[in-house]
Amino acid sequence: MLREALFLVVLCLVVWIGFDALEGQRDEARRERDSAKWEASGLREAARISGEMLAERDAIDQRNIKELTDAHTENKRLRHAVDDGTRRLRIRATCPATGSVSATAGAARVADAGRAELAADARQDYFTLRDQLAQSRQMIVGLQQYAMGVCRRSPAPLANPSPNLNK
């Protein structure tokens, strides 16, 4: 009978130790589960923010590409109008009369021939500069909008509250 009682005590002790070990494993598994849930939640939030930032970047790109296309179209329209003579490309210029013609040669002076215009071969350079200026402007505006709208919203790196994630 003593033997049976001792066997029963040893059996209870083994069962108790086994349950204690299982309880420790269960607690560790719960900690890992909670850590994984927290990490998944952080990753979902980061993905949501990244998606919003990409959408905003794409909207900025579309808006600036449209404005640049409109500027190029307007420039082409002006170029064709100047080429076919419906519009004139004028420049602001002055021709100082002092020193170039003597005051005594008043009758020999040439009359004002009208407004100064760019030479035909310089017009192409003018419109090329207009295109480049429009492109540079849109690049600068786009970068400013990107910096103000997207870069300022960049998510901060997630802190890791659970040391078990690094194991």
Side-chain angles (χ1 to χ4, degrees), residues 106-151:
R109 287 189 186 174
V110 177
D112 187 12
R115 294 183 180 227
E117 280 192 70
L118 282 178
D121 58 339
R123 290 179 188 157
Q124 179 64 30
D125 294 338
Y126 171 78
F127 287 110
T128 300
L129 288 172
R130 277 183 59 105
D131 281 339
Q132 290 173 347
L133 180 63
Q135 184 172 0
S136 296
R137 181 187 176 285
Q138 284 310 121
M139 290 170 69
I140 292 168
V141 167
L143 287 171
Q144 287 173 338
Q145 290 171 345
Y146 181 79
M148 297 298 285
V150 177
C151 293

Side-chain angles (χ1 to χ4, degrees), residues 73-91 117-118 123 126-127 130:
T73 302
E74 175 66 13
N75 200 26
K76 282 180 185 177
R77 189 186 65 73
L78 288 172
R79 182 179 304 186
H80 290 305
V82 168
D83 287 345
D84 66 15
T86 57
R87 304 253 337 237
R88 293 181 67 186
L89 184 58
R90 295 188 175 134
I91 57 172
E117 280 192 70
L118 282 178
R123 290 179 188 157
Y126 171 78
F127 287 110
R130 277 183 59 105

Side-chain angles (χ1 to χ4, degrees), residues 3-151:
R3 217 183 234 186
E4 292 171 358
L6 184 59
F7 176 74
L8 193 56
V9 168
V10 168
L11 182 64
C12 288
L13 186 60
V14 168
V15 169
W16 181 67
I17 290 172
F19 277 129
D20 188 46
L22 284 175
E23 187 178 14
Q25 289 176 356
R26 181 199 67 197
D27 292 344
E28 180 64 24
R30 283 182 179 167
R31 279 191 294 278
E32 288 178 11
R33 179 201 65 201
D34 293 343
S35 174
K37 281 182 178 179
W38 182 86
E39 184 177 5
S41 171
L43 290 173
R44 276 192 297 276
E45 180 66 14
R48 183 190 64 78
I49 291 171
S50 293
E52 289 175 1
M53 289 169 58
L54 287 173
E56 188 171 349
R57 183 206 61 195
D58 290 345
I60 289 169
D61 283 348
Q62 291 299 321
R63 187 172 48 248
N64 286 312
I65 287 171
K66 182 188 178 312
E67 289 177 13
L68 182 58
T69 302
D70 292 346
H72 283 306
T73 302
E74 175 66 13
N75 200 26
K76 282 180 185 177
R77 189 186 65 73
L78 288 172
R79 182 179 304 186
H80 290 305
V82 168
D83 287 345
D84 66 15
T86 57
R87 304 253 337 237
R88 293 181 67 186
L89 184 58
R90 295 188 175 134
I91 57 172
R92 184 177 298 186
T94 58
C95 189
T98 59
S100 63
V101 177
S102 67
T104 60
R109 287 189 186 174
V110 177
D112 187 12
R115 294 183 180 227
E117 280 192 70
L118 282 178
D121 58 339
R123 290 179 188 157
Q124 179 64 30
D125 294 338
Y126 171 78
F127 287 110
T128 300
L129 288 172
R130 277 183 59 105
D131 281 339
Q132 290 173 347
L133 180 63
Q135 184 172 0
S136 296
R137 181 187 176 285
Q138 284 310 121
M139 290 170 69
I140 292 168
V141 167
L143 287 171
Q144 287 173 338
Q145 290 171 345
Y146 181 79
M148 297 298 285
V150 177
C151 293

